[in-house]
Amino acid sequence: MSAALAARNFSGFPQDGFAFLRELAANNDPAWFKPRKDRYEADVRGPAVALAADILSAAAAAKLPLDGDPGKAVFRIYRDVRFSPDKRPYKTHAGIVLTRTGQKSDPGLLYIHIEPGGCFLAAGFYQPDPPMLAALRQAIIADARGFLALVKRLDTAGLPLGADPDAVKRLPRGCEAAAGTPAEPFVKSRSLVIRRHVADAEARDPALVATVIDFYRSVQPLLAFGWRAIGGR
């Protein structure tokens, strides 16, 4: 059976999963984690995979462009500490990424973040490679009025395109036309991402699947703009 046809089995992210993540945050070391890995699989990874499967099934029914393998869509718990001063070995959240092709690296993603007190949904173009980022910037400049109208509609719907903390300080070469215009902050951005806070109570509810689908449907205008800009890549 394909991922899109997977049976619905998400019953809400369990209290035990939140408890495990809180305990892991206080005991982030292999000596604590390894004897409790079965708890992680049952209370964190298992529900996350079920959530991914149900989102894919609901997206297929709604004819929304979303694909992926539920198991592969859930990020590993292990942190890559090779080049980080933070040597804590484990993530203290569950992360799920889905895209229109099923490839995690595909531009225009949907991300679900489960963390006690810090759950959220995100969608958009997160730090695309230089050619794609350049294409997005040029598309904004070429149709600034249309892009800004799109941003205003999303903002009115309670889905603001937030400021990018990693935005460049100066306009990139070739983007001078945006100087002094309302589009300038977006052209300086390295990412175009919309976030929606999710309360822990929402994450514990099976209706989280519908919440994610509603969010993904609502951000389609931004994703469609970006996909057009990069030429369907």
Side-chain angles (χ1 to χ4, degrees):
M1 179 181 293
S2 69
L5 298 177
R8 295 182 61 84
N9 54 6
F10 177 70
S11 56
F13 201 81
Q15 287 276 20
D16 287 346
F18 280 107
F20 179 88
L21 291 173
R22 283 191 292 267
E23 291 172 39
L24 178 59
N27 302 277
N28 201 320
D29 64 79
W32 186 89
F33 178 81
K34 287 181 178 179
R36 297 167 176 82
K37 188 176 179 181
D38 58 338
R39 283 183 59 197
Y40 162 72
E41 294 290 344
D43 298 333
V44 178
R45 178 173 169 77
V49 171
L51 174 59
D54 281 6
I55 291 170
L56 287 168
S57 181
K63 294 182 170 49
L64 291 171
L66 205 60
D67 203 350
D69 179 312
K72 294 179 181 179
V74 179
F75 283 106
R76 285 162 49 87
I77 190 71
Y78 306 100
R79 296 182 65 248
D80 184 351
V81 300
R82 291 173 297 174
F83 307 109
S84 173
D86 182 354
K87 299 302 181 183
R88 290 176 297 173
Y90 306 110
K91 299 170 186 172
T92 54
H93 64 270
I96 301 166
V97 65
L98 298 166
T99 66
R100 58 178 176 166
T101 66
Q103 300 297 316
K104 283 185 178 180
S105 60
D106 194 50
L109 57 80
L110 168 66
Y111 176 70
I112 302 98
H113 186 95
I114 302 293
E115 181 177 14
C119 300
F120 66 88
L121 310 177
F125 298 83
Y126 179 72
Q127 296 187 351
D129 64 35
M132 290 183 182
L133 181 56
L136 286 168
R137 286 169 168 164
Q138 289 303 319
I140 293 171
I141 293 170
D143 185 18
R145 181 177 296 180
F147 179 78
L148 292 170
L150 179 160
V151 170
K152 184 176 181 179
R153 289 196 300 273
L154 289 168
D155 188 66
T156 300
L159 296 169
L161 186 59
D164 180 6
D166 297 318
V168 298
K169 297 186 182 303
R170 296 182 179 179
L171 280 168
R173 183 176 299 178
C175 297
E176 292 81 6
T181 73
E184 182 174 355
F186 301 105
V187 175
K188 287 181 175 178
S189 296
R190 296 180 190 268
S191 301
L192 297 173
V193 174
I194 294 172
R195 286 177 50 139
R196 178 201 185 279
H197 171 71
V198 173
D200 288 2
E202 286 184 282
R204 293 195 297 267
D205 193 322
L208 178 61
V209 175
T211 298
V212 174
I213 292 298
D214 286 345
F215 171 77
Y216 188 63
R217 182 185 290 109
S218 296
V219 300
Q220 285 301 299
L222 175 65
L223 295 174
F225 178 91
W227 289 329
R228 288 193 302 271
I230 61 178
R233 287 180 289 177

